[in-house]
Amino acid sequence: MESRAAVDDAALGREAWSVLDANWTGSATVPAPGLYPHQWNWDSTFVAMGLARWDTRRAGTELISLLAGQWGTGMVPHIVFHPVHAEGYFPGPSVWRSQNHPASPRAVCTSGLTQPPLHALALWWIWRHAADRDTAVALVRRLYPMLAAQHDYLATSRDLGGGGLAAIVHPWESGMDDSPAWDTALEALPPVRHPYHRREESSDRHPDSRHDRYMALVLGYRDSGYDPAYLRDEHPFAVEDPMFNGIWLASCQALAELAPVAGADAGPYREAVERIRAALLERLWDDGVFRARDLRGGRLSPVCTIGCFGPMLDQGMPGERVAELVRVLESARFMGAAGYPVPSCEIRAQQFDRSCYWRGPSWVNTNWLLRRAAAAHDLAGLVRLLGSGTLRLVRQAGFRECFDPFDGSGRGSRDFSWSAALTLDLLADTVER
């Protein structure tokens, strides 16, 4: 007779598939119905990873659709717009004007920013878990050159500090839009005003999230013609984010492992892993964690956020550094004082706010990344804790965009795609409850 846990897991899995099917456009999965009507980079990549053990072809289609928006420079944009909803989200194509740039794709409109380069790790995850091996191999061979171009873009156009790390040039590029990690850099910008109306603006959004400055950054970069020289010499926001760079390093490791499948040389990516690891330790390590570096202000962020643990994704990170990171993660600053994993900002920080997006709530995607990082270092207890705690959140509150880290209540959008997809991945593992 089936156990109650197995029955509950089966029901949760069916609910997750229902969300993903409802949010499927035929070529990609939108993050949430109505509110986010386009294809978002980070969201779509997490969906592909969540589907990897279940549907090789659909997981691959998610990445193929996203990479159709890749620019000739190698940049993978953070939004690929669906024409039927072109101006249904602000800022839409009329603001970004990607079609005016000679390197942009002709078939679709996109934003002019990127997001964490998780794609090679997602491709490796699909290849590793694929039941349909032929489809997975064909997918690797098709996408590998595109991902190589993406990595070349980051190395040549985004090493704004000259130290071997990629810089984000807008908070949106982090995927963690309103994180307090960007506060210091944003506060240094000159005050500006721009009409800014987002349909998802709500009490969950931080009331002082400075979206006027967000738009000023967008318009300045756009009006430069998306010029990499402008980013290097004039753009006022440039931050080396440990999560972004930890993901970049892990994706370099993935490209090195996939190179034999693609008939490529793994050497450059092994070298990149060593270079990024050394730069992370030299430039971002401080007081037991990795901190975001504001290149314009020349200082590290004073607040510790979920992004500080991103470099744990590096399976070659020195053991003593991993141990220090885990001590902070399991302390009362994060998991030790929260009922559910993992607050997106340290609880003791003045900036912590349990109700405001990336300033406190727990997210399924970052929980999943930290679980993957724990597995890379054989931290079985932490793997179980992150997996069971995340499943407890979605069982209690559904597939919400994010969750209160103390009582587990859902916040933000309902029927959120990466929450559903990554739940499927967690259900594929045996998790102690």
Side-chain angles (χ1 to χ4, degrees), residues 18-100:
S18 294
V19 168
L20 294 172
D21 288 343
N23 294 351
W24 175 246
T25 68
S27 61
T29 307
V30 300
L35 200 56
Y36 302 107
H38 304 292
Q39 185 175 21
W40 263 261
N41 182 326
W42 221 24
D43 299 70
S44 207
T45 310
F46 280 118
V47 168
M49 296 178 91
L51 292 173
R53 306 188 200 222
W54 302 91
D55 189 334
T56 305
R57 194 170 299 278
R58 180 164 163 181
T61 298
E62 199 77 40
L63 293 182
I64 291 168
S65 176
L66 177 64
L67 288 166
Q70 185 174 30
W71 289 31
T73 60
M75 191 273 290
V76 180
H78 93 294
I79 304 175
V80 177
F81 291 102
H82 294 150
V84 68
H85 301 295
E87 297 299 337
Y89 182 89
F90 183 84
S94 63
V95 173
W96 296 101
R97 302 178 190 170
S98 66
Q99 66 276 15
N100 295 341

Side-chain angles (χ1 to χ4, degrees), residues 107-144:
V108 292
C109 292
T110 76
S111 71
L113 300 173
T114 191
Q115 276 191 325
L118 188 62
H119 316 88
L121 185 60
L123 182 61
W124 176 81
W125 197 252
I126 294 169
W127 176 78
R128 174 187 174 187
H129 293 293
D132 185 344
R133 301 305 301 170
D134 291 342
T135 296
V137 169
L139 184 69
V140 170
R141 292 173 178 169
R142 177 175 180 176
L143 298 188
Y144 199 95

